[in-house]
Amino acid sequence: MKIGELLEELFDQNPYMAALITDNEGNLLYINKTYLKILNLSKEEALGRPIKEFTPQTRVTAVLRTGKAVVGYNWRVNGYNMIASCIPIYKDGKLNGAFAYSVFLDIWNAKNLVENLLNELNMYKDEVNELYRAKYSFDDIVGNNEKLKELKAFARQIASHGSTTVLISGESGTGKELFANAIHNSSNRSGLPFIRVNCAAIPENLLEAELFGYEEGAYTGAKKGGKPGKFELANGGTVFLDEIGEMSLTMQSKLLVVLQEQEIERVGGNRPIRTNVRVIAATNRDLEKMVEEKKFREDLYYRLNVVRLEMVPLRSRKEDIPVLVQHLICKLNKKLNVFIKDISEGALKLLSSYYWPGNVRELENVLERAMIMADMKHASILRSRYFAFLNNRCEFQAASGLKSLKTMTWEFEKEAISKVLQATRGDMSMAAKYLEIDLSTLYRKLKKYHIPAEFSPNQKKRS
Ligand SMILES: Nc1ncnc2c1ncn2[C@@H]1O[C@H](COP(=O)(O)OP(=O)(O)OP(=O)(O)O)[C@@H](O)[C@H]1O
Ligand SMILES: [Mg+2]
């Protein structure tokens, strides 16, 4: 079969396409069977007649007038709703006619296709959202300590400012991740992903791809079609950069650029991708000290430290231990599938006398251990004996006066600074001189040890 015949056959017999060809005056030279059927005409009635006679709104007229194609317009005729295109035909540089054809004979086909695609897309979006959901809200943050209540109130305010970067610092187990969850969940980003990246757990050479994704062929073993990074996946939501203090200086520079430009570039890619994410970073390291020691970029520090939440160590809010214990017993009852009802006064007293270097997480672990022991004895009240292991630790601490180096340093520094401030009647500059430290370091330590700035009634202002 010759190509001409083949083409005619293809056009004529194609039930999915309406097609016609006119001369340069708009008279029909060719019209296929499908279109004849739609127009309810026979070939004899149509050929040689101006197309305008059958479809007065035809784009053929405009195409012949301008010599330019009209592509992808909506074309309704006799109850059919098509997407069509009309292109001019040139011969030896002269406009010779027009070719009009439907891309979708019935737009409902197109609509179904788009709808199916959208459904599929939404299904994946839901899956991503489910996978990357923030588990905790502000209701899960327990405690009545003034400082903690202030922190919660402040964090709630921050949450409503959907794009503000937040830096959460504090010792291990003090609830940094809990706060990050709560901020996301009560922000207008809550329906979108919350993605945590543990900067300490991912090897440096993989962190960039993890955060920003990579393009196909970026390196050997790179997935076909590339892979989106966490910033792309979290679009519209929150990226929680945990343990940010462990990030290498090289990665710090790259992160800084992303935060400034609000654009990422996949590894091995060359097109910038706009991002809309809120960044919450957390660390248990002393970032200010790291900046002084040039281990953390100062510009990144300022970029992250827009809003700061400094967690309160458990030992500074021991009054919260009873409510926390009640809360954690409920939580652990579900997790361990046990039925512990309460805790005895004696056991609570014991818990309150401990120093809690691992903060709420350590409290949770200690309770878990005690609850398992109590359950094994079919007891429903946690008594001191189930905390014997802790008792030993406390007694050991108290009786021998032996404490961990961290504890001793903590207590000694706090005491020393308080004493000097008392002696200088709250004069910060003088205190800093006595202690032979920078004024900025002194302020940092006041914050760390929760020594109030209004320490002395005669406090002099910083000059
Ligand atoms: N105020 C609180 N109320 C209730 N639970 C808390 C509170 N603070 C911490 N927790 C619980 O203690 C555990 C540790 O909290 P989280 O993981 O948020 O600490 P973190 O500061 O991120 O610790 P790390 O630095 O070790 O990662 C979690 O199970 C958390 O739910
Ligand atoms: Mg954490």
Side-chain angles (χ1 to χ4, degrees):
M1 200 188 266
K2 290 202 184 105
I3 195 79
E5 286 168 19
L6 192 68
L7 277 175
E8 192 176 329
E9 193 73 4
L10 247 175
F11 277 113
D12 242 20
Q13 302 303 327
N14 189 340
Y16 306 105
M17 181 196 211
L20 62 82
I21 299 172
T22 70
D23 62 16
N24 59 359
E25 285 176 343
N27 300 315
L28 277 167
L29 293 178
Y30 169 80
I31 178 162
N32 79 343
K33 279 202 182 116
T34 305
Y35 208 6
L36 283 170
K37 215 165 111 194
I38 291 172
L39 295 176
N40 220 355
L41 291 170
S42 67
K43 216 167 207 159
E44 292 70 35
E45 288 171 310
L47 287 182
R49 306 297 312 160
I51 178 66
K52 252 168 82 175
E53 226 172 67
F54 309 116
T55 54
Q57 306 298 326
T58 180
R59 305 287 159 99
V60 168
T61 322
V63 169
L64 290 176
R65 193 179 61 243
T66 59
K68 287 198 180 108
V70 185
V71 176
Y73 55 91
N74 191 204
W75 181 235
R76 284 163 194 261
V77 56
N78 286 352
Y80 279 79
N81 199 349
M82 310 178 211
I83 301 287
S85 289
C86 183
I87 56 173
I89 304 170
Y90 284 94
K91 190 154 190 274
D92 303 327
K94 236 184 95 210
L95 188 63
N96 209 25
F99 171 45
Y101 60 99
S102 64
V103 183
F104 283 102
L105 190 58
D106 195 335
I107 197 168
W108 302 114
N109 294 341
K111 202 168 161 252
N112 285 344
L113 186 76
V114 172
E115 259 171 15
N116 285 345
L117 282 174
L118 278 178
N119 280 343
E120 210 169 308
L121 184 67
N122 283 334
M123 193 185 80
Y124 286 121
K125 272 190 180 164
D126 287 348
E127 224 163 87
V128 167
N129 290 352
E130 185 54 33
L131 202 59
Y132 298 118
R133 212 165 38 87
K135 284 200 292 277
Y136 300 108
S137 71
F138 280 114
D139 293 337
D140 297 304
I141 304 178
V142 175
N144 298 312
N145 168 272
E146 276 311 312
K147 196 98 194 148
L148 184 86
K149 284 204 287 196
E150 273 173 34
L151 263 182
K152 260 172 91 167
F154 185 39
R156 271 184 204 277
Q157 281 181 359
I158 297 164
S160 62
H161 295 276
S163 299
T164 312
T165 309
V166 185
L167 178 61
I168 308 179
S169 54
E171 287 177 27
S172 176
T174 44
K176 297 185 290 293
E177 189 165 345
L178 195 59
F179 266 82
N181 270 256
I183 291 173
H184 172 82
N185 261 345
S186 62
S187 76
N188 55 8
R189 296 174 177 268
S190 61
L192 291 154
F194 171 88
I195 302 188
R196 170 177 181 255
V197 181
N198 185 347
C199 303
I202 302 166
E204 142 143 53
N205 57 336
L206 298 184
L207 187 57
E208 187 179 0
E210 186 70 17
L211 288 177
F212 311 134
Y214 58 76
E215 291 291 5
E216 186 173 334
Y219 25 62
T220 35
K223 256 197 202 162
K224 202 163 181 288
K227 192 177 167 228
K230 299 289 192 255
F231 270 75
E232 244 180 281
L233 283 175
N235 200 20
T238 305
V239 171
F240 175 46
L241 299 176
D242 207 359
E243 319 269 9
I244 188 98
E246 314 306 317
M247 194 180 261
S248 73
L249 284 164
T250 331
M251 258 323 283
Q252 289 176 27
S253 319
K254 290 180 179 166
L255 177 63
L256 179 67
V257 175
V258 168
L259 295 180
Q260 280 166 343
E261 312 287 329
Q262 299 196 352
E263 272 177 3
I264 50 155
E265 219 165 79
R266 288 186 179 186
V267 176
N270 51 12
R271 69 193 162 101
I273 303 169
R274 275 214 83 64
T275 60
N276 165 21
V277 294
R278 183 217 284 269
V279 170
I280 302 181
T283 183
N284 54 17
R285 301 275 295 263
D286 187 340
L287 276 195
E288 287 79 5
K289 194 160 154 228
M290 288 181 75
V291 169
E292 271 170 31
E293 291 169 353
K294 304 256 180 286
K295 287 180 186 149
F296 200 85
R297 285 187 67 119
E298 193 173 6
D299 40 14
L300 178 62
Y301 168 75
Y302 285 116
R303 187 67 194 68
L304 292 172
N305 196 25
V306 180
V307 164
R308 176 68 163 267
L309 294 179
E310 178 91 35
M311 297 291 110
V312 194
L314 187 54
R315 79 188 73 85
S316 308
R317 55 175 190 111
K318 283 193 171 168
E319 72 269 30
D320 281 347
I321 289 181
V323 275
L324 268 171
V325 167
Q326 293 301 340
H327 169 81
L328 293 171
I329 287 178
C330 283
K331 184 172 161 184
L332 291 167
N333 268 336
K334 282 185 209 138
K335 178 182 159 192
L336 305 171
N337 199 21
V338 297
F339 302 94
I340 301 298
K341 281 209 230 86
D342 210 347
I343 183 165
S344 73
E345 278 297 315
L348 258 187
K349 217 168 144 201
L350 183 67
L351 294 184
S352 301
S353 65
Y354 185 52
Y355 179 73
W356 298 113
N359 296 292
V360 185
R361 177 171 301 113
E362 188 183 7
L363 176 62
E364 202 170 329
N365 293 342
V366 161
L367 279 170
E368 181 168 341
R369 192 166 155 181
M371 283 168 73
I372 291 170
M373 287 205 280
D375 187 63
M376 280 183 345
K377 304 262 181 212
H378 307 290
S380 61
I381 308 285
L382 292 178
R383 300 193 183 280
S384 303
R385 56 176 168 278
Y386 302 121
F387 296 96
F389 60 99
L390 191 66
N391 205 352
N392 289 343
R393 271 192 249 174
C394 290
E395 267 173 16
F396 180 70
Q397 257 187 5
S400 59
L402 284 179
K403 297 174 185 171
S404 73
L405 185 62
K406 200 172 168 187
T407 313
M408 286 192 285
T409 318
W410 176 286
E411 287 177 355
F412 179 78
E413 248 192 7
K414 185 170 177 179
E415 171 97 12
I417 293 171
S418 302
K419 269 191 180 153
V420 171
L421 272 173
Q422 235 155 19
T424 65
R425 300 183 146 267
D427 185 324
M428 300 286 180
S429 312
M430 204 188 284
K433 269 189 201 129
Y434 274 121
L435 292 162
E436 292 186 21
I437 54 174
D438 291 339
L439 199 53
S440 60
T441 311
L442 177 59
Y443 274 103
R444 207 176 65 231
K445 287 188 187 295
L446 290 186
K447 223 169 149 190
K448 179 174 169 189
Y449 296 120
H450 300 283
I451 303 172
E454 67 281 1
F455 190 85
S456 149
N458 298 331
Q459 185 203 2
K460 284 185 197 159
K461 283 260 173 286
R462 195 178 169 181
S463 52

